[in-house]
Every structure is written in structure tokens, then in C-alpha cells.
């Protein structure tokens, strides 16, 4: 079972040390970047994804300054734990948490070559909204567009 635990002074280094496979690095910013970003943007909520007392991933959500929408900004599972259904379970857990906090819609974007993320979000009820007006383009692909989806209120009842 997955649990989400806030990133604190006690666990930030563990979160920062989590990594994805080399071919996935263009898909998501590092956790160290995300943790630093959350220190300057208090509307962002960084969480460690734990299974059995071990941090296996990282997730961050919050309200975007650019559009005022609630976004799932990061979701990553460390390369050692991928392929075990943890991304799906973590996504469901963070959606429940956001729902419990009163959010009724959630937006998410992903790197256009990340077909695994696209399948995950679409299979969990997110509906395509087109291309995000803004997006976190990877330094490796500064011209990349960011497809986006929204989880409608009915699907937020996970």
C-alpha cells in the first residue's frame, strides 16, 4: 500500500536522490528542482511516495500561477520500483488527497514522448484538453509542446 508523506528536512535528501532511467530524464524535472521550487512557491505541495517505509517516488501538486488551475506538477517513481503498478496507485492516492482538500478538478501535463504517462492519465479518467498554454519544457527539448488533460469532478471521486 502506498502512503504520501510531506517532504521535510528529514526526508528531502532521499527524495532528491530518487531518479528515473536515463531515457526518461527529459520527461520530468529532478526532484531536487521540484523541492527547491516548492520552497519559493508555497502553493505547491511536495510529497514522498512510500511503500512499506521506503520512499519509492515523488509527487507534487498545487495551484498554478499561470492559469489558477490545480495541477499535478510531478509524479515519478524511482527506476528501481517502476513496473510494479506504483505510479497508478500513487496517482489514485494523490487524487483522493486532493479531493479531500476540496479540489474538484485536476489538470496534468506530460512530455509528448512519454506514452506511459499519457496512458496512465487517460486510463484514470483524465480527459484531453489539448496543449497546455504553458509548460515545463525540458532543457533537452525546449521546443516541446505539453499535452494536457483534466480530471473532471465526477472522476475526482476515486
Amino acid at each position: 500500500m502506498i502512503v504520501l508523506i510531506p517532504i521535510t528536512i528529514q526526508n528531502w535528501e532521499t527524495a532528491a536522490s530518487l531518479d528515473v532511467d536515463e531515457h526518461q530524464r527529459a520527461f520530468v524535472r529532478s526532484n531536487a528542482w521540484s523541492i527547491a521550487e516548492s520552497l519559493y512557491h508555497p502553493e505547491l505541495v511536495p510529497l514522498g511516495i512510500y511503500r512499506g517505509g521506503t520512499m519509492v517516488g515523488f509527487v507534487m501538486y498545487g495551484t498554478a500561477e499561470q492559469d489558477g488551475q490545480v495541477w499535478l506538477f510531478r509524479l515519478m517513481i524511482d527506476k528501481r520500483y517502476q513496473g510494479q503498478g506504483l505510479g497508478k496507485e500513487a496517482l489514485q492516492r494523490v487524487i483522493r488527497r486532493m479531493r479531500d482538500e476540496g479540489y474538484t478538478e485536476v489538470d496534468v501535463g506530460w512530455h509528448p514522448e512519454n506514452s506511459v504517462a499519457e496512458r496512465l492519465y487517460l486510463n484514470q479518467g483524465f480527459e484531453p484538453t489539448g496543449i497546455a498554454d504553458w509548460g515545463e519544457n525540458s532543457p533537452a527539448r525546449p521546443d516541446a509542446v505539453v499535452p494536457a488533460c483534466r480530471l473532471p469532478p465526477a472522476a475526482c471521486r476515486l
Side-chain angles (χ1 to χ4, degrees):
M1 179 166 126
I2 292 294
V3 294
L4 303 175
I5 297 177
I7 298 299
T8 65
I9 195 166
Q10 287 81 22
N11 65 3
W12 77 267
E13 290 181 86
T14 301
S17 71
L18 298 177
D19 201 5
V20 293
D21 277 330
E22 183 71 34
H23 76 278
Q24 298 170 317
R25 290 200 180 128
F27 297 165
V28 65
R29 292 256 192 194
S30 73
N31 294 342
W33 173 277
S34 298
I35 293 165
E37 188 176 29
S38 73
L39 295 175
Y40 296 100
H41 296 278
E43 68 277 7
L44 300 178
V45 180
L47 302 165
I49 301 167
Y50 284 79
R51 179 182 67 181
T54 300
M55 189 183 300
V56 297
F58 178 85
V59 63
M60 186 168 74
Y61 67 90
T63 303
E65 292 177 343
Q66 296 88 338
D67 63 7
Q69 292 294 116
V70 175
W71 283 79
L72 178 61
F73 287 103
R74 308 281 188 285
L75 174 60
M76 68 80 70
I77 301 296
D78 184 85
K79 61 187 170 190
R80 297 169 292 171
Y81 305 102
Q82 291 180 7
Q84 301 174 32
L86 300 176
K88 176 181 175 182
E89 189 177 345
L91 178 61
Q92 292 171 347
R93 179 79 52 197
V94 76
I95 289 169
R96 281 188 205 111
R97 179 186 175 109
M98 294 169 79
R99 178 207 57 211
D100 292 348
E101 291 177 8
Y103 298 114
T104 58
E105 290 183 330
V106 179
D107 287 348
V108 67
W110 63 90
H111 191 286
E113 294 176 13
N114 191 346
S115 60
V116 172
E118 180 177 21
R119 261 191 325 274
L120 173 65
Y121 299 132
L122 295 177
N123 287 339
Q124 291 302 302
F126 282 83
E127 297 173 351
T129 59
I131 303 300
D133 292 338
W134 57 279
E136 180 176 272
N137 296 326
S138 162
R141 300 272 324 263
D143 60 338
V145 296
V146 179
C149 282
R150 174 168 292 148
L151 188 63
C156 280
R157 295 190 180 95
L158 286 175

